[in-house]
Amino acid sequence: MAVDYFGRYFTDEGFKFTDLINDDFFQPVRLLFQNRHYVSASKLLFVAIDSIGFIEYGDERDNTFIKWLDTYSDIAKLGITSAELWEHRNSLLHMSNLNSRKVKSGRTRMLVGYVGDMPAEVNLDTDKTGYYEIPRLIKTIGEACGNWCLTYDKERDKIHKFVERYDLIASDARMLEIPLKR
């Protein structure tokens, strides 16, 4: 019989928090990225932030994506803001393009993700467009997850809400597989 995530990640040694987050969120992003599916990896990373924001804050009216990033990440080191990344997320997830309504209206800069080293001779107009390196974004979100995980050591009362909300998250790592009869 298969062991559910509770039995696999809550052991006698303790809660394997980082293993759970890695298996459910970062491993799929890593697989897509390693196979050069950069846009798909980015989309899945945004879904992970959405899910983690829900786990942390619940079903709030406030934007938990932005709130989680502002609380736990140092997104500014990439030269972008959490609000810009939210609009970028909206564009990619809902339309697979870079033009959210706020970007089209000029209220928010368009973001462009890239992989590799930007040549020094390329002159980028960063007034209307923000550029970020996708691997650095993934690393920044990983660091933010580390910061977030540490709060569970200090705020033990959060664990009950974590389990309650995490049970609502769909996951490949915890998907029940039923063998087909032939």
Side-chain angles (χ1 to χ4, degrees):
M1 180 175 188
V3 176
D4 69 1
Y5 90 96
F6 200 83
R8 190 171 356 159
Y9 297 101
F10 287 88
T11 68
D12 292 339
E13 292 84 40
F15 177 32
K16 296 180 180 181
F17 199 124
T18 56
D19 290 352
L20 176 63
I21 299 304
N22 180 66
D23 291 353
D24 278 351
F25 298 116
F26 282 93
Q27 184 60 20
V29 169
R30 188 177 302 110
L31 289 170
L32 285 168
F33 186 87
Q34 289 171 342
N35 285 286
R36 302 174 62 123
H37 297 288
Y38 304 125
V39 173
S40 296
S42 298
K43 288 178 179 182
L44 200 53
L45 183 65
F46 300 148
V47 171
I49 298 167
D50 282 329
S51 298
I52 293 168
F54 167 76
I55 293 165
E56 177 67 6
Y57 302 111
D59 190 12
E60 284 191 357
R61 236 177 143 65
D62 292 339
N63 185 319
T64 59
F65 182 98
I66 291 173
K67 187 175 179 179
W68 188 85
L69 284 172
D70 288 346
T71 302
Y72 297 105
S73 80
D74 185 13
I75 198 83
K77 71 182 179 184
L78 301 178
I80 62 176
T81 69
S82 58
E84 290 171 335
L85 194 62
W86 170 253
E87 288 303 315
H88 185 58
R89 167 230 178 262
N90 293 342
S91 299
L92 286 177
L93 290 182
H94 296 293
M95 301 171 288
S96 290
N97 69 37
L98 302 178
N99 289 312
S100 73
R101 288 183 185 104
K102 284 187 178 179
V103 167
K104 287 194 316 193
S105 72
R107 293 181 289 166
T108 299
R109 285 189 315 167
M110 174 189 294
L111 292 186
V112 175
Y114 65 92
V115 175
D117 295 324
M118 187 67 69
E121 64 274 7
V122 174
N123 188 13
L124 301 174
D125 176 9
T126 57
D127 290 335
K128 293 185 180 185
T129 306
Y131 300 88
Y132 68 92
E133 188 181 358
I134 295 171
R136 284 189 63 212
L137 176 65
I138 294 169
K139 184 175 186 221
T140 298
I141 301 307
E143 290 167 353
C145 281
N147 295 334
W148 175 59
C149 290
L150 290 174
T151 66
Y152 285 84
D153 283 338
K154 297 173 186 162
E155 302 170 46
R156 302 300 261 172
D157 56 315
K158 289 175 57 169
I159 293 173
H160 176 73
K161 286 288 185 194
F162 175 89
V163 172
E164 184 178 280
R165 293 173 183 156
Y166 209 90
D167 281 347
L168 301 173
I169 302 294
S171 155
D172 286 331
R174 295 179 286 116
M175 182 87 181
L176 176 62
E177 293 184 42
I178 301 170
L180 297 173
K181 293 183 181 180
R182 295 192 187 247

